[in-house]
Amino acid sequence: MVVNRGWQKKETGYRVVVLDPDSNRAEWRGVESYHSWSDIEQQIRDYVEELEARLKTFNNSFLSEEQWRQKLWSEGKALSLICEEATTYGDFIKDEELLSKFGKLALTKSRKQEMPLTVVAHNNTQTCLFGIKGLHNLVSKMLMVECLAEVDPITLQPSSTGKAKVKLDSSNEWLDVNLPTMTAKISDFSDIVPAKSNPNPPLDKATLERIYELEINLGNNAEISPTPSLTPIAQSLLQYLQRTGRTSAVIQEIQPNFKVKGQRFSSEELKRLFNELVEASLAIWLDANTIEIAP
């Protein structure tokens, strides 16, 4: 089941990362995998830091959830993490606070940040699931799949039956389902061709403008050659106008959207910034509130 999950995620276009302490890279060819406890702990730490950073950036932005997820896809940041043998993580990773934070964030905040988590464990108790506390209802009602295998009477090895039970999200009822029957173990994912484009539609001009606004808020200005005659704020305004593809700008339209490191500007302040661009021969006045940007 987890192999199919990894296959589907890579095919969709996710960067698939597998944490599997009971295996090695030969069993996960074609995807990124980690197997020593030190590497697994570091990947968990990196995941938590990345998820927290995305949450902070999204919360400080003016992007809708759909626009934010489109941005993540367009930047190749969609990540699918698969935790194999998660039952033993708490026994070998001694940073209990890290594991608990990882469990809580991954199970509650990952979907909207395009960092979905798949957990493979022998039980669904809180102790087995990263030692998280206070999330009993979430754990008991999360989406679960129980694969029903049969044991070979001679080799005593389990094999796929194509049957499973599924408990849907927020439900307590187990449903019988049929899965693809695996006749051989899949360990090579290198032939999977990821989707050429993400499942979301392309970004329009308005969305790109909001994304650039997000970058301005964080101080990550585009690498455009500065104009010596402009003040730093006027330079940021010029970059904003160039990046959003504007040929003209109206003070009343720019005022709600443009800010630098959280600072907004009054109409009079924007008029002075507009005038800086005009005096630097980078724009001309069309009327008292509108400038035309020079090519």
Side-chain angles (χ1 to χ4, degrees):
M1 180 64 186
V2 69
V3 170
N4 288 333
R5 183 71 168 175
W7 187 285
Q8 291 169 353
K9 286 296 184 182
K10 184 175 180 181
E11 196 173 38
T12 302
Y14 282 91
R15 170 195 165 200
V16 177
V17 177
V18 178
L19 309 182
D20 187 354
D22 286 359
S23 187
N24 58 35
R25 289 186 175 88
E27 298 295 324
W28 294 98
R29 297 191 300 275
V31 296
E32 189 176 342
S33 64
Y34 299 88
H35 307 281
S36 71
W37 285 114
S38 59
D39 286 345
I40 290 173
E41 181 173 352
Q42 185 59 53
Q43 288 301 311
I44 288 175
R45 195 177 304 278
D46 292 345
Y47 179 95
V48 169
E49 291 176 357
E50 175 65 19
L51 183 50
E52 288 183 322
R54 292 190 190 187
L55 287 168
K56 182 177 180 180
T57 303
F58 174 64
N59 292 338
N60 289 332
S61 77
F62 287 86
L63 300 178
S64 68
E65 178 188 327
E66 181 182 358
Q67 291 166 344
W68 172 248
R69 296 177 76 172
Q70 288 176 1
K71 175 177 166 63
L72 293 174
W73 272 101
S74 67
E75 295 177 350
K77 292 183 176 179
L79 165 69
S80 175
L81 184 66
I82 297 176
C83 290
E84 272 274 16
E85 300 294 340
T87 309
T88 60
Y89 283 28
D91 296 325
F92 294 94
I93 297 178
K94 300 306 179 184
D95 192 337
E96 296 180 1
E97 183 178 352
L98 171 65
L99 272 182
S100 179
K101 179 184 285 189
F102 169 66
K104 289 179 180 179
L105 286 175
L107 295 175
T108 61
K109 304 293 185 182
S110 61
R111 181 179 63 85
K112 295 180 182 180
Q113 303 306 318
E114 293 298 348
M115 298 178 68
L117 174 71
T118 301
V119 179
V120 183
H122 295 293
N123 208 326
N124 65 345
T125 64
Q126 291 170 292
T127 301
C128 291
L129 295 179
F130 319 115
I132 55 177
K133 299 177 181 178
L135 295 179
H136 172 72
N137 289 336
L138 175 67
V139 172
S140 64
K141 291 189 176 181
M142 69 172 62
L143 174 64
M144 298 184 193
V145 179
E146 180 183 358
C147 297
L148 304 177
E150 62 182 7
V151 178
D152 188 288
I154 299 176
T155 64
L156 301 181
Q157 293 296 314
S159 61
S160 171
T161 63
K163 297 179 180 180
K165 290 183 178 292
V166 172
K167 187 173 72 61
L168 301 179
D169 190 13
S170 299
S171 172
N172 290 319
E173 182 180 2
W174 288 89
L175 305 175
D176 293 326
V177 295
N178 293 321
L179 299 176
T181 303
M182 294 178 59
T183 57
K185 182 178 180 180
I186 299 175
S187 58
D188 191 348
F189 300 82
S190 56
D191 292 335
I192 304 173
V193 179
K196 292 183 179 180
S197 60
N198 68 71
N200 297 305
L203 303 178
D204 55 23
K205 181 178 178 180
T207 301
L208 289 173
E209 179 175 333
R210 293 190 181 186
I211 290 175
Y212 181 63
E213 176 193 343
L214 173 67
E215 295 172 351
I216 287 290
N217 293 343
L218 296 176
N220 297 326
N221 295 339
E223 294 183 0
I224 300 174
S225 299
T227 304
S229 59
L230 297 180
T231 63
I233 295 179
Q235 183 69 47
S236 294
L237 175 61
L238 176 62
Q239 293 173 354
Y240 170 77
L241 297 175
Q242 290 173 335
R243 283 287 297 274
T244 54
R246 294 176 180 274
T247 57
S248 62
V250 182
I251 289 176
Q252 291 81 358
E253 180 186 2
I254 297 298
Q255 187 178 15
N257 298 317
F258 175 69
K259 60 181 179 179
V260 177
K261 295 182 179 179
Q263 176 188 355
R264 294 187 184 277
F265 303 91
S266 66
S267 297
E268 288 302 316
E269 288 171 327
L270 281 176
K271 182 169 287 190
R272 287 195 291 271
L273 294 175
F274 276 23
N275 199 54
E276 275 196 59
L277 301 184
V278 172
E279 291 180 349
S281 299
L282 298 170
I284 59 173
W285 287 106
L286 296 180
D287 58 43
N289 296 304
T290 309
I291 57 172
E292 180 179 309
I293 293 90

